[in-house]
Amino acid sequence: MLPTAVIERAQQEMLEWGDSGMSVMEMSHRGKDYMSIAQSAEANLREVMGIPDNYKVLFLQGGASSQFAMVPMNLLQGKSGADYLNTGMWSKKAVAEAKRYCDVNVAADTSEGGFCSVPTQESLKLNADAAYVHYTPNETIGGVEFDYVPETGDVPLVADMSSTILSRPMDVSKYGVIYAGAQKNIGPAGLTIAIVREDLIGNAMENTPVMFNYETHAKSDSMYNTPPTYSWYMAGLVFEWIKEQGGLAAMGEINQRKANKIYELIDSSDFYGNPVDKNGRSWMNVPFTLADAELDGAFLAGAAERGLVTLKGHRSVGGMRASIYNAMPESGVDTLVEFMKEFEQQNG
Amino acid sequence: MLPTAVIERAQQEMLEWGDSGMSVMEMSHRGKDYMSIAQSAEANLREVMGIPDNYKVLFLQGGASSQFAMVPMNLLQGKSGADYLNTGMWSKKAVAEAKRYCDVNVAADTSEGGFCSVPTQESLKLNADAAYVHYTPNETIGGVEFDYVPETGDVPLVADMSSTILSRPMDVSKYGVIYAGAQKNIGPAGLTIAIVREDLIGNAMENTPVMFNYETHAKSDSMYNTPPTYSWYMAGLVFEWIKEQGGLAAMGEINQRKANKIYELIDSSDFYGNPVDKNGRSWMNVPFTLADAELDGAFLAGAAERGLVTLKGHRSVGGMRASIYNAMPESGVDTLVEFMKEFEQQNG
């Protein structure tokens, strides 16, 4: 989902951007017009997130799945292992790919409890010699979100923020690398953003493809080859939109309120359930079940009638999942909550 | 450049695709609507290019620069070396990346002549034990294009067709792998298409990132992770547009005519020059020089006044370059030729 205002602006600018005589899609990435679009997008992201000067912002391709390899390839820097916190499906994928390049120490694992909790800081079995610590602040499928930033001392912290970036204010300086596929909170698919502390750039493994080396992109302002120009432009529109909403502080307030409305209904009802520990509940993805799974089909059909779509839970967990990213307006959540109440009254 | 009809249709469909209730940019890549867009794009590409059933069509990210590593990583299959034809700037980049993974036998090299010719079949120093032969059918910067398909016997032929794919009919069955960044003749940047013979899939090098393994994408219909959905959709619109134009036979006739108009003017003039051997002249990129390089600025300014932009040659070769990809209408070439004549009359 994208903010309606953003899509409408993109539509207006589709045939001609400014007085450039062409569509953004047709611009050379090295031309003056596109460079201004690209640079202004980066400047706005830096402003919105408060990214310190000693971090590079890279506009990449390949999704978080590519970062699962790029992180070890770039950050091992001669060390033999890294720490991973395993808190859900995305962590698991990151671990599987990292194992192909290094020894993975699973420093926390919540799989036994069905990925329904966040490990405490005290429970983390961190290795002081690890090249880095990798975690997934928000797990989309389980709907589990860390309510704290792990403390890792001098070991760089790496976060797959695909589904939680830009959802609230955060302290970038606590991280070595933050990466995120664009398609949740940033813009259309096809763009991946990596925010990398400069001292971690420049020591990639020997066989790292040029395109998987952070240094390649850091040195060329992400213009080593043609970047995903249109997605980058759309991301820039989203960053402007966030500024207009009042920045991440405002987004955080709205997002917390949106999530609370759904969780409050779930907790006040015997008809709906959510298995996640209260302190680990995601603001972005709210999985929930109906007391009687046989009603799932009727629930989805009724929701679709009100324009509430893509509510079906991931095939691995079943049930429902409300993804309430930044672009979902509070009124959309209100419509969902109202429908859930009605459906419970009729079927509970 | 994209066909105007394609951009206009994209604009119309921007806010809502069909009666889906959402923009293509907002669709889940696994949803019914997006799957139909993706499958129909592939079907149309297969039809337009006549792609045999034993080839997979992969919709990837990362550009040709990523293929420079993916090709050796996937095709070496235990062999130690591969043959590369070095005919320009893009070949050189492919060679440099391949050298990091295998012994590169440069089977032809036209750099001494300034990359102004195409090596003959007889001159190729091919190695029968090579894992594959890689070449660049069209070099965008030099404006050099092969006028034949190299014969490589049982050794798979690999082609970087970024700047010539879809420009005319071709026999896909002569190739092991064809790859192309989308941004010349296919659609917006951010999409890379690889057409891979099935028997070449499944034996990638040990350290190949999952996302760099053709098998990952072949097995999942390019949906292993979120693909560049919007660029894929736009590519589909371009494939439909090509069908409406009469397919690749028609595109080839138009493209040859467009190129001939410019080359004829250059050859009939002492004012303009093109250094490329006649048999190796590109249909897609026509580099040319003015007799007096001091006039370059005035030429570019006059051209821009007529809406003829991005005519400046690559910084490595200077002069001018007319890129006349599929989306450049014949009338645009007529305008250019007319302006060139006038400019010569006034300044020659």
Side-chain angles (χ1 to χ4, degrees), chain B residues 39-334:
Chain B
Q39 286 163 0
S40 133
E42 179 178 338
N44 280 326
L45 178 63
R46 284 186 173 275
E47 180 186 335
V48 162
M49 290 187 68
I51 299 174
D53 288 344
N54 64 325
Y55 286 73
K56 291 282 188 188
V57 178
L58 309 180
F59 292 79
L60 308 173
Q61 299 183 59
S65 295
S66 293
Q67 295 302 313
F68 296 164
M70 285 176 78
V71 165
M73 284 180 143
N74 284 274
L75 295 198
L76 280 171
Q77 310 202 347
K79 295 218 176 191
S80 61
D83 290 346
Y84 277 73
L85 314 190
N86 181 23
T87 57
M89 298 287 285
W90 289 104
S91 306
K92 269 173 75 171
K93 287 195 177 193
V95 166
E97 184 75 343
K99 277 185 176 166
R100 303 179 56 235
Y101 301 100
C102 66
D103 299 326
V104 168
N105 168 44
V106 177
D109 190 342
T110 59
S111 60
E112 269 200 25
F115 292 130
C116 292
S117 63
V118 163
T120 61
Q121 172 75 48
E122 296 68 39
S123 72
L124 306 181
K125 299 195 177 67
L126 299 175
N127 180 344
D129 279 339
Y132 58 89
V133 179
H134 180 283
Y135 85 122
T136 313
N138 183 65
E139 286 279 359
T140 53
I141 295 171
V144 177
E145 184 156 7
F146 276 76
D147 58 339
Y148 71 99
V149 179
E151 178 54 61
T152 59
D154 290 338
V155 180
L157 181 61
V158 178
D160 174 0
M161 289 216 181
S162 297
S163 55
T164 189
I165 194 167
L166 300 176
S167 68
R168 74 206 74 180
M170 54 170 293
D171 183 354
V172 174
S173 74
K174 291 187 174 174
Y175 298 85
V177 175
I178 292 167
Y179 64 84
Q183 64 272 12
K184 310 291 188 194
N185 264 344
I186 295 175
L191 171 69
T192 308
I193 288 182
I195 302 166
V196 187
R197 215 174 62 206
E198 283 174 350
D199 62 287
L200 299 172
I201 298 172
N203 287 296
M205 282 172 62
E206 202 179 337
N207 278 339
T208 306
V210 163
M211 287 290 289
F212 265 35
N213 191 330
Y214 288 142
E215 191 177 16
T216 302
H217 306 285
K219 275 187 169 171
S220 60
D221 294 326
S222 305
M223 301 268 180
Y224 172 77
N225 70 339
T226 310
T229 47
Y230 198 72
S231 295
W232 189 336
Y233 152 78
M234 289 292 300
L237 297 187
V238 171
F239 303 150
E240 281 186 45
W241 175 82
I242 289 175
K243 281 172 69 175
E244 287 160 18
Q245 307 308 302
L248 293 188
M251 294 311 304
E253 280 174 29
I254 298 166
N255 284 325
Q256 187 169 26
R257 212 159 54 218
K258 280 156 57 184
N260 282 349
K261 284 181 176 176
I262 306 177
Y263 287 120
E264 274 167 19
L265 171 62
I266 290 172
D267 289 341
S268 69
S269 146
D270 293 327
F271 187 77
Y272 297 108
N274 169 289
V276 181
D277 287 357
K278 284 193 177 171
N279 74 307
R281 284 174 165 181
S282 169
W283 289 9
M284 297 283 105
N285 316 93
V286 184
F288 59 93
T289 50
L290 275 51
D292 180 358
E294 302 240 320
L295 292 169
D296 284 6
F299 183 90
L300 288 168
E305 273 173 28
R306 295 173 194 228
L308 299 162
V309 290
T310 64
L311 273 170
K312 196 172 178 183
H314 191 269
R315 59 189 183 282
S316 64
V317 294
M320 309 295 154
R321 179 175 45 154
S323 282
I324 47 177
Y325 297 113
N326 280 355
M328 163 67 91
E330 196 162 351
S331 61
V333 170
D334 292 339

Side-chain angles (χ1 to χ4, degrees), chain A residues 1-4 7-8 10-15 20 22-23 25-26 28 30 60-66 69 73 90 93 97 100-101 183-184 187-192 205-212 224-231 234 309-310 315 327, chain B residues 1-4 7-8 10-15 20 22-23 25-26 28 30 60-66 69 73 90 93 97 100-101 183-184 187-192 205-212 224-231 234 309-310 315 327:
Chain A
M1 200 166 179
L2 286 163
T4 305
I7 304 186
E8 283 173 354
Q11 185 186 40
Q12 281 160 21
E13 296 180 345
M14 183 69 133
L15 292 181
S20 67
M22 62 183 96
S23 171
M25 289 191 210
E26 303 182 294
S28 160
R30 295 191 194 280
L60 308 173
Q61 299 183 59
S65 296
S66 293
M73 284 178 143
W90 289 104
K93 287 194 177 194
E97 185 73 343
R100 302 179 57 235
Y101 301 100
Q183 63 272 11
K184 310 292 187 195
L191 172 69
T192 308
M205 283 172 62
E206 199 178 341
N207 278 338
T208 306
V210 164
M211 286 289 289
F212 265 36
Y224 173 77
N225 70 339
T226 310
T229 47
Y230 197 72
S231 295
M234 289 291 301
V309 291
T310 64
R315 59 189 183 282
Chain B
M1 199 165 178
L2 286 163
T4 305
I7 304 187
E8 284 173 354
Q11 186 186 38
Q12 281 159 22
E13 295 180 345
M14 183 70 132
L15 292 181
S20 67
M22 63 183 95
S23 171
M25 287 190 213
E26 303 182 293
S28 160
R30 295 190 194 279
L60 308 173
Q61 299 183 59
S65 295
S66 293
M73 284 180 143
W90 289 104
K93 287 195 177 193
E97 184 75 343
R100 303 179 56 235
Y101 301 100
Q183 64 272 12
K184 310 291 188 194
L191 171 69
T192 308
M205 282 172 62
E206 202 179 337
N207 278 339
T208 306
V210 163
M211 287 290 289
F212 265 35
Y224 172 77
N225 70 339
T226 310
T229 47
Y230 198 72
S231 295
M234 289 292 300
V309 290
T310 64
R315 59 189 183 282

Side-chain angles (χ1 to χ4, degrees), chain A residues 212-282:
Chain A
F212 265 36
N213 192 331
Y214 288 142
E215 190 177 18
T216 303
H217 306 286
K219 274 186 171 173
S220 61
D221 294 326
S222 306
M223 300 269 180
Y224 173 77
N225 70 339
T226 310
T229 47
Y230 197 72
S231 295
W232 188 335
Y233 151 77
M234 289 291 301
L237 297 187
V238 171
F239 303 151
E240 282 186 43
W241 175 82
I242 289 175
K243 281 172 68 176
E244 287 159 19
Q245 307 309 301
L248 294 189
M251 295 311 304
E253 281 174 30
I254 298 166
N255 284 324
Q256 186 169 26
R257 212 159 53 217
K258 281 155 57 183
N260 282 350
K261 283 181 177 178
I262 306 178
Y263 287 121
E264 275 168 18
L265 171 63
I266 291 171
D267 289 340
S268 68
S269 144
D270 293 328
F271 188 76
Y272 297 108
N274 170 289
V276 180
D277 287 358
K278 282 191 179 173
N279 74 307
R281 282 172 166 181
S282 169

